[in-house]
Amino acid sequence: MPTQSKTIYGGLRSLGRELEKEEWRDAHYIIVLDENTFQHCLPLLIGSVGALQESEFVEVPVGEECKSLEVAAQVWQTLIEGGNNRNSVIINLGGGAVCDIGGFVAAGYKRGVRHINIPTTLLAMTDAAIGGKTAIDFGGVKNSIGHFYPSVLTVIEPAFLGTLPQEEVLNGKMEMVKTAAVTDAELYNQLLANDQWPVATVKEVARIKNRVVKADPYDRDVRHILNFGHTFGHAIEVYSGQPHGIAVGIGMMAAMYLSVKKIGLNEEVHKSYSMWLRQHVEVPHYTLRDVEAMLPLMHHDKKNADGDIRCVLLQAPGAAMIDVTVSDHEVRDAMLKI
């Protein structure tokens, strides 16, 4: 497993200086991207980083569709046909899905080659591209096959945020609120109180994620807090096709409802978050039929044990409780109360 990823907060020009160092002298670069980042982000990357001007590139499908064994096999085949060896470096230019598939491919090729994450979405900059998790979806289950395989570098370039549609910005905001909710009460309250978040806040959330990952790189204990809202959110995402961040945002509302019922979260916290969420997202109404269809997806969650659904709940902003057992009846109650 590579050493823990170094995060570069100074953007692409800082990456350019990094790649001039001796350790990259023999590197051969392959850029993994999708149609969106090919059009909107690749020109800035190549124009800013001289070492990448002779790179090859591999295009993958947009969004979650790229996270499949078939796509991974196609990328591996391209690498083999191109004669790539252990000096090859995969550059993942895109959102969370591109970083996932690129990292997954890097972990498997030649028993592991270096990869660099250059996240281009707010969600990826503050969450998905940080922490070393790489995965594909398999058997209808999100992120069911994967590795802990950190990128050697993760590069935060704020200029890419200007290329995003509003929905993608909202996706990232949901994950930022989640991270603040379980780690920093003051930041959480600031995020809910202000709609305009400066670049410094984006970098602050990325640093928080890095600190949590450093404390628990293999996701055995404290890092579980970052799954707040995800047991519900992943099921909502797979069942209804909601974008990941928005699904997690809705999942947090269900988790807060259970937090009030089970571990004493102040009901005003739940109410204020629900009000904020509804100002930004059209929250769907789920029927009992919907919930019954989502329950099997929740039972596949990686944090479960002994056949029980286990959730992260919130005692108060900044204070999370991990591995709380939740019954199917409690899931139904929370989902139907959304």
Side-chain angles (χ1 to χ4, degrees), residues 178-211:
K178 174 219 68 180
T179 299
V182 297
T183 60
D184 189 321
E186 182 178 354
L187 177 60
Y188 171 77
N189 290 326
Q190 288 174 0
L191 294 180
L192 263 60
N194 300 286
D195 270 345
Q196 299 301 318
W197 303 345
V199 169
T201 303
V202 175
K203 293 179 180 180
E204 181 179 358
V205 173
R207 289 186 176 96
I208 291 171
K209 172 76 183 280
N210 270 315
R211 287 199 296 269

mmCIF file of all heavy atoms in Angstrom, residues 178-211:
data_model
loop_
_atom_site.group_PDB
_atom_site.id
_atom_site.type_symbol
_atom_site.label_atom_id
_atom_site.label_comp_id
_atom_site.label_asym_id
_atom_site.label_seq_id
_atom_site.Cartn_x
_atom_site.Cartn_y
_atom_site.Cartn_z
ATOM 1 N N LYS A 178 -22.086 17.327 6.001
ATOM 2 C CA LYS A 178 -21.931 16.061 6.733
ATOM 3 C C LYS A 178 -20.634 16.027 7.523
ATOM 4 O O LYS A 178 -20.624 15.688 8.722
ATOM 5 C CB LYS A 178 -21.952 14.891 5.758
ATOM 6 C CG LYS A 178 -21.658 13.539 6.401
ATOM 7 C CD LYS A 178 -20.793 12.658 5.540
ATOM 8 C CE LYS A 178 -19.371 13.168 5.394
ATOM 9 N NZ LYS A 178 -18.543 12.288 4.539
ATOM 10 N N THR A 179 -19.533 16.386 6.875
ATOM 11 C CA THR A 179 -18.235 16.356 7.561
ATOM 12 C C THR A 179 -18.227 17.292 8.754
ATOM 13 O O THR A 179 -17.753 16.951 9.841
ATOM 14 C CB THR A 179 -17.105 16.724 6.578
ATOM 15 O OG1 THR A 179 -17.078 15.758 5.524
ATOM 16 C CG2 THR A 179 -15.756 16.742 7.275
ATOM 17 N N ALA A 180 -18.780 18.492 8.575
ATOM 18 C CA ALA A 180 -18.841 19.443 9.685
ATOM 19 C C ALA A 180 -19.751 18.940 10.799
ATOM 20 O O ALA A 180 -19.450 19.103 11.987
ATOM 21 C CB ALA A 180 -19.311 20.803 9.186
ATOM 22 N N ALA A 181 -20.873 18.317 10.427
ATOM 23 C CA ALA A 181 -21.839 17.854 11.427
ATOM 24 C C ALA A 181 -21.219 16.887 12.418
ATOM 25 O O ALA A 181 -21.569 16.884 13.607
ATOM 26 C CB ALA A 181 -23.041 17.207 10.736
ATOM 27 N N VAL A 182 -20.290 16.050 11.958
ATOM 28 C CA VAL A 182 -19.723 15.024 12.839
ATOM 29 C C VAL A 182 -18.384 15.414 13.445
ATOM 30 O O VAL A 182 -17.834 14.662 14.254
ATOM 31 C CB VAL A 182 -19.583 13.674 12.096
ATOM 32 C CG1 VAL A 182 -20.955 13.147 11.678
ATOM 33 C CG2 VAL A 182 -18.668 13.790 10.881
ATOM 34 N N THR A 183 -17.845 16.581 13.076
ATOM 35 C CA THR A 183 -16.507 16.939 13.568
ATOM 36 C C THR A 183 -16.394 18.322 14.183
ATOM 37 O O THR A 183 -15.518 18.549 15.029
ATOM 38 C CB THR A 183 -15.467 16.876 12.424
ATOM 39 O OG1 THR A 183 -15.836 17.806 11.389
ATOM 40 C CG2 THR A 183 -15.367 15.461 11.850
ATOM 41 N N ASP A 184 -17.229 19.287 13.762
ATOM 42 C CA ASP A 184 -16.974 20.684 14.127
ATOM 43 C C ASP A 184 -18.298 21.447 14.189
ATOM 44 O O ASP A 184 -18.833 21.872 13.154
ATOM 45 C CB ASP A 184 -16.037 21.310 13.093
ATOM 46 C CG ASP A 184 -15.533 22.688 13.490
ATOM 47 O OD1 ASP A 184 -16.316 23.475 14.049
ATOM 48 O OD2 ASP A 184 -14.351 22.981 13.211
ATOM 49 N N ALA A 185 -18.827 21.645 15.397
ATOM 50 C CA ALA A 185 -20.129 22.285 15.569
ATOM 51 C C ALA A 185 -20.133 23.708 15.035
ATOM 52 O O ALA A 185 -21.103 24.148 14.397
ATOM 53 C CB ALA A 185 -20.527 22.271 17.042
ATOM 54 N N GLU A 186 -19.057 24.448 15.288
ATOM 55 C CA GLU A 186 -19.002 25.838 14.838
ATOM 56 C C GLU A 186 -19.053 25.925 13.319
ATOM 57 O O GLU A 186 -19.789 26.732 12.740
ATOM 58 C CB GLU A 186 -17.738 26.516 15.367
ATOM 59 C CG GLU A 186 -17.624 27.979 14.977
ATOM 60 C CD GLU A 186 -16.390 28.658 15.542
ATOM 61 O OE1 GLU A 186 -15.659 28.013 16.338
ATOM 62 O OE2 GLU A 186 -16.133 29.818 15.175
ATOM 63 N N LEU A 187 -18.260 25.080 12.643
ATOM 64 C CA LEU A 187 -18.258 25.076 11.180
ATOM 65 C C LEU A 187 -19.620 24.632 10.652
ATOM 66 O O LEU A 187 -20.139 25.209 9.685
ATOM 67 C CB LEU A 187 -17.162 24.149 10.665
ATOM 68 C CG LEU A 187 -17.068 23.986 9.148
ATOM 69 C CD1 LEU A 187 -16.804 25.330 8.467
ATOM 70 C CD2 LEU A 187 -15.984 22.977 8.777
ATOM 71 N N TYR A 188 -20.215 23.635 11.276
ATOM 72 C CA TYR A 188 -21.537 23.151 10.860
ATOM 73 C C TYR A 188 -22.559 24.291 10.894
ATOM 74 O O TYR A 188 -23.304 24.516 9.929
ATOM 75 C CB TYR A 188 -21.975 22.009 11.772
ATOM 76 C CG TYR A 188 -23.406 21.577 11.586
ATOM 77 C CD1 TYR A 188 -23.781 20.791 10.502
ATOM 78 C CD2 TYR A 188 -24.390 21.950 12.496
ATOM 79 C CE1 TYR A 188 -25.110 20.396 10.324
ATOM 80 C CE2 TYR A 188 -25.711 21.563 12.329
ATOM 81 C CZ TYR A 188 -26.063 20.791 11.252
ATOM 82 O OH TYR A 188 -27.371 20.394 11.079
ATOM 83 N N ASN A 189 -22.591 25.027 11.976
ATOM 84 C CA ASN A 189 -23.543 26.133 12.106
ATOM 85 C C ASN A 189 -23.255 27.233 11.085
ATOM 86 O O ASN A 189 -24.178 27.852 10.539
ATOM 87 C CB ASN A 189 -23.517 26.691 13.527
ATOM 88 C CG ASN A 189 -24.110 25.718 14.535
ATOM 89 O OD1 ASN A 189 -25.049 24.987 14.229
ATOM 90 N ND2 ASN A 189 -23.553 25.690 15.738
ATOM 91 N N GLN A 190 -21.984 27.482 10.815
ATOM 92 C CA GLN A 190 -21.620 28.482 9.808
ATOM 93 C C GLN A 190 -22.117 28.077 8.416
ATOM 94 O O GLN A 190 -22.623 28.916 7.656
ATOM 95 C CB GLN A 190 -20.104 28.670 9.776
ATOM 96 C CG GLN A 190 -19.531 29.401 10.986
ATOM 97 C CD GLN A 190 -18.013 29.436 10.960
ATOM 98 O OE1 GLN A 190 -17.382 28.923 10.036
ATOM 99 N NE2 GLN A 190 -17.421 30.024 11.982
ATOM 100 N N LEU A 191 -21.966 26.795 8.084
ATOM 101 C CA LEU A 191 -22.380 26.326 6.768
ATOM 102 C C LEU A 191 -23.886 26.463 6.579
ATOM 103 O O LEU A 191 -24.362 26.843 5.498
ATOM 104 C CB LEU A 191 -21.951 24.872 6.563
ATOM 105 C CG LEU A 191 -20.446 24.606 6.489
ATOM 106 C CD1 LEU A 191 -20.174 23.130 6.279
ATOM 107 C CD2 LEU A 191 -19.786 25.429 5.398
ATOM 108 N N LEU A 192 -24.661 26.150 7.611
ATOM 109 C CA LEU A 192 -26.107 26.257 7.500
ATOM 110 C C LEU A 192 -26.581 27.709 7.481
ATOM 111 O O LEU A 192 -27.629 28.015 6.902
ATOM 112 C CB LEU A 192 -26.791 25.505 8.653
ATOM 113 C CG LEU A 192 -27.258 24.080 8.323
ATOM 114 C CD1 LEU A 192 -26.086 23.203 7.891
ATOM 115 C CD2 LEU A 192 -27.993 23.455 9.492
ATOM 116 N N ALA A 193 -25.787 28.596 8.066
ATOM 117 C CA ALA A 193 -26.197 29.999 8.169
ATOM 118 C C ALA A 193 -25.875 30.811 6.926
ATOM 119 O O ALA A 193 -26.468 31.867 6.708
ATOM 120 C CB ALA A 193 -25.539 30.644 9.386
ATOM 121 N N ASN A 194 -24.934 30.330 6.107
ATOM 122 C CA ASN A 194 -24.474 31.112 4.950
ATOM 123 C C ASN A 194 -24.505 30.257 3.688
ATOM 124 O O ASN A 194 -23.984 29.135 3.681
ATOM 125 C CB ASN A 194 -23.039 31.606 5.175
ATOM 126 C CG ASN A 194 -22.942 32.480 6.412
ATOM 127 O OD1 ASN A 194 -23.384 33.616 6.407
ATOM 128 N ND2 ASN A 194 -22.371 31.934 7.476
ATOM 129 N N ASP A 195 -25.081 30.795 2.632
ATOM 130 C CA ASP A 195 -25.138 30.054 1.374
ATOM 131 C C ASP A 195 -23.862 30.182 0.552
ATOM 132 O O ASP A 195 -23.552 29.321 -0.264
ATOM 133 C CB ASP A 195 -26.320 30.542 0.535
ATOM 134 C CG ASP A 195 -27.592 29.759 0.841
ATOM 135 O OD1 ASP A 195 -27.492 28.693 1.456
ATOM 136 O OD2 ASP A 195 -28.674 30.245 0.470
ATOM 137 N N GLN A 196 -23.113 31.250 0.733
ATOM 138 C CA GLN A 196 -21.883 31.465 -0.030
ATOM 139 C C GLN A 196 -20.683 31.030 0.802
ATOM 140 O O GLN A 196 -20.392 31.623 1.838
ATOM 141 C CB GLN A 196 -21.760 32.946 -0.412
ATOM 142 C CG GLN A 196 -22.902 33.450 -1.276
ATOM 143 C CD GLN A 196 -23.029 32.695 -2.585
ATOM 144 O OE1 GLN A 196 -22.028 32.387 -3.240
ATOM 145 N NE2 GLN A 196 -24.257 32.372 -2.960
ATOM 146 N N TRP A 197 -20.020 29.974 0.358
ATOM 147 C CA TRP A 197 -18.880 29.429 1.099
ATOM 148 C C TRP A 197 -17.597 29.734 0.346
ATOM 149 O O TRP A 197 -17.452 29.364 -0.824
ATOM 150 C CB TRP A 197 -19.027 27.923 1.285
ATOM 151 C CG TRP A 197 -20.293 27.533 1.982
ATOM 152 C CD1 TRP A 197 -21.143 28.340 2.679
ATOM 153 C CD2 TRP A 197 -20.865 26.215 2.037
ATOM 154 N NE1 TRP A 197 -22.201 27.622 3.180
ATOM 155 C CE2 TRP A 197 -22.062 26.313 2.796
ATOM 156 C CE3 TRP A 197 -20.492 24.986 1.528
ATOM 157 C CZ2 TRP A 197 -22.873 25.222 3.051
ATOM 158 C CZ3 TRP A 197 -21.290 23.888 1.784
ATOM 159 C CH2 TRP A 197 -22.467 24.004 2.538
ATOM 160 N N PRO A 198 -16.636 30.405 0.985
ATOM 161 C CA PRO A 198 -15.385 30.744 0.295
ATOM 162 C C PRO A 198 -14.516 29.520 0.054
ATOM 163 O O PRO A 198 -14.712 28.455 0.661
ATOM 164 C CB PRO A 198 -14.710 31.711 1.276
ATOM 165 C CG PRO A 198 -15.266 31.348 2.615
ATOM 166 C CD PRO A 198 -16.677 30.896 2.370
ATOM 167 N N VAL A 199 -13.547 29.688 -0.838
ATOM 168 C CA VAL A 199 -12.609 28.598 -1.142
ATOM 169 C C VAL A 199 -11.885 28.137 0.115
ATOM 170 O O VAL A 199 -11.599 26.945 0.281
ATOM 171 C CB VAL A 199 -11.605 29.061 -2.221
ATOM 172 C CG1 VAL A 199 -10.471 28.055 -2.363
ATOM 173 C CG2 VAL A 199 -12.316 29.242 -3.553
ATOM 174 N N ALA A 200 -11.612 29.048 1.034
ATOM 175 C CA ALA A 200 -10.936 28.671 2.283
ATOM 176 C C ALA A 200 -11.733 27.628 3.059
ATOM 177 O O ALA A 200 -11.157 26.751 3.707
ATOM 178 C CB ALA A 200 -10.715 29.911 3.158
ATOM 179 N N THR A 201 -13.067 27.700 2.984
ATOM 180 C CA THR A 201 -13.905 26.713 3.669
ATOM 181 C C THR A 201 -13.790 25.354 3.001
ATOM 182 O O THR A 201 -13.771 24.316 3.673
ATOM 183 C CB THR A 201 -15.367 27.183 3.681
ATOM 184 O OG1 THR A 201 -15.446 28.462 4.311
ATOM 185 C CG2 THR A 201 -16.237 26.206 4.450
ATOM 186 N N VAL A 202 -13.722 25.339 1.685
ATOM 187 C CA VAL A 202 -13.520 24.081 0.955
ATOM 188 C C VAL A 202 -12.225 23.415 1.414
ATOM 189 O O VAL A 202 -12.191 22.210 1.719
ATOM 190 C CB VAL A 202 -13.489 24.335 -0.561
ATOM 191 C CG1 VAL A 202 -13.152 23.056 -1.322
ATOM 192 C CG2 VAL A 202 -14.824 24.912 -1.036
ATOM 193 N N LYS A 203 -11.167 24.189 1.494
ATOM 194 C CA LYS A 203 -9.879 23.641 1.915
ATOM 195 C C LYS A 203 -9.928 23.194 3.381
ATOM 196 O O LYS A 203 -9.307 22.184 3.746
ATOM 197 C CB LYS A 203 -8.780 24.678 1.701
ATOM 198 C CG LYS A 203 -8.528 24.991 0.228
ATOM 199 C CD LYS A 203 -7.454 26.046 0.047
ATOM 200 C CE LYS A 203 -7.217 26.342 -1.426
ATOM 201 N NZ LYS A 203 -6.178 27.380 -1.633
ATOM 202 N N GLU A 204 -10.658 23.919 4.226
ATOM 203 C CA GLU A 204 -10.777 23.537 5.630
ATOM 204 C C GLU A 204 -11.454 22.178 5.768
ATOM 205 O O GLU A 204 -11.008 21.321 6.545
ATOM 206 C CB GLU A 204 -11.573 24.596 6.403
ATOM 207 C CG GLU A 204 -11.718 24.285 7.891
ATOM 208 C CD GLU A 204 -12.484 25.362 8.643
ATOM 209 O OE1 GLU A 204 -12.870 26.376 8.020
ATOM 210 O OE2 GLU A 204 -12.708 25.186 9.851
ATOM 211 N N VAL A 205 -12.531 21.952 5.004
ATOM 212 C CA VAL A 205 -13.216 20.657 5.062
ATOM 213 C C VAL A 205 -12.304 19.547 4.553
ATOM 214 O O VAL A 205 -12.274 18.442 5.110
ATOM 215 C CB VAL A 205 -14.538 20.711 4.276
ATOM 216 C CG1 VAL A 205 -15.170 19.323 4.190
ATOM 217 C CG2 VAL A 205 -15.514 21.685 4.941
ATOM 218 N N ALA A 206 -11.541 19.819 3.498
ATOM 219 C CA ALA A 206 -10.587 18.826 2.996
ATOM 220 C C ALA A 206 -9.555 18.478 4.061
ATOM 221 O O ALA A 206 -9.184 17.304 4.224
ATOM 222 C CB ALA A 206 -9.902 19.344 1.735
ATOM 223 N N ARG A 207 -9.088 19.471 4.799
ATOM 224 C CA ARG A 207 -8.115 19.214 5.866
ATOM 225 C C ARG A 207 -8.741 18.378 6.987
ATOM 226 O O ARG A 207 -8.088 17.494 7.553
ATOM 227 C CB ARG A 207 -7.571 20.530 6.412
ATOM 228 C CG ARG A 207 -6.633 21.263 5.452
ATOM 229 C CD ARG A 207 -5.998 22.485 6.107
ATOM 230 N NE ARG A 207 -5.044 23.121 5.213
ATOM 231 C CZ ARG A 207 -5.321 24.166 4.429
ATOM 232 N NH1 ARG A 207 -6.545 24.701 4.462
ATOM 233 N NH2 ARG A 207 -4.397 24.685 3.637
ATOM 234 N N ILE A 208 -10.002 18.645 7.325
ATOM 235 C CA ILE A 208 -10.689 17.839 8.342
ATOM 236 C C ILE A 208 -10.767 16.386 7.893
ATOM 237 O O ILE A 208 -10.474 15.465 8.652
ATOM 238 C CB ILE A 208 -12.099 18.396 8.618
ATOM 239 C CG1 ILE A 208 -12.020 19.743 9.319
ATOM 240 C CG2 ILE A 208 -12.909 17.416 9.468
ATOM 241 C CD1 ILE A 208 -13.362 20.453 9.442
ATOM 242 N N LYS A 209 -11.166 16.172 6.646
ATOM 243 C CA LYS A 209 -11.239 14.799 6.123
ATOM 244 C C LYS A 209 -9.876 14.124 6.198
ATOM 245 O O LYS A 209 -9.757 12.960 6.605
ATOM 246 C CB LYS A 209 -11.746 14.825 4.675
ATOM 247 C CG LYS A 209 -11.684 13.471 3.939
ATOM 248 C CD LYS A 209 -12.779 12.534 4.359
ATOM 249 C CE LYS A 209 -12.667 11.164 3.685
ATOM 250 N NZ LYS A 209 -13.190 11.134 2.324
ATOM 251 N N ASN A 210 -8.824 14.847 5.847
ATOM 252 C CA ASN A 210 -7.479 14.281 5.928
ATOM 253 C C ASN A 210 -7.112 13.888 7.356
ATOM 254 O O ASN A 210 -6.482 12.844 7.579
ATOM 255 C CB ASN A 210 -6.457 15.278 5.379
ATOM 256 C CG ASN A 210 -6.209 15.109 3.886
ATOM 257 O OD1 ASN A 210 -6.040 13.989 3.417
ATOM 258 N ND2 ASN A 210 -6.197 16.199 3.150
ATOM 259 N N ARG A 211 -7.483 14.712 8.330
ATOM 260 C CA ARG A 211 -7.156 14.394 9.724
ATOM 261 C C ARG A 211 -7.867 13.124 10.180
ATOM 262 O O ARG A 211 -7.272 12.278 10.863
ATOM 263 C CB ARG A 211 -7.531 15.566 10.638
ATOM 264 C CG ARG A 211 -6.617 16.770 10.524
ATOM 265 C CD ARG A 211 -6.735 17.683 11.731
ATOM 266 N NE ARG A 211 -8.060 18.264 11.861
ATOM 267 C CZ ARG A 211 -8.427 19.419 11.333
ATOM 268 N NH1 ARG A 211 -7.562 20.118 10.595
ATOM 269 N NH2 ARG A 211 -9.634 19.898 11.516
#
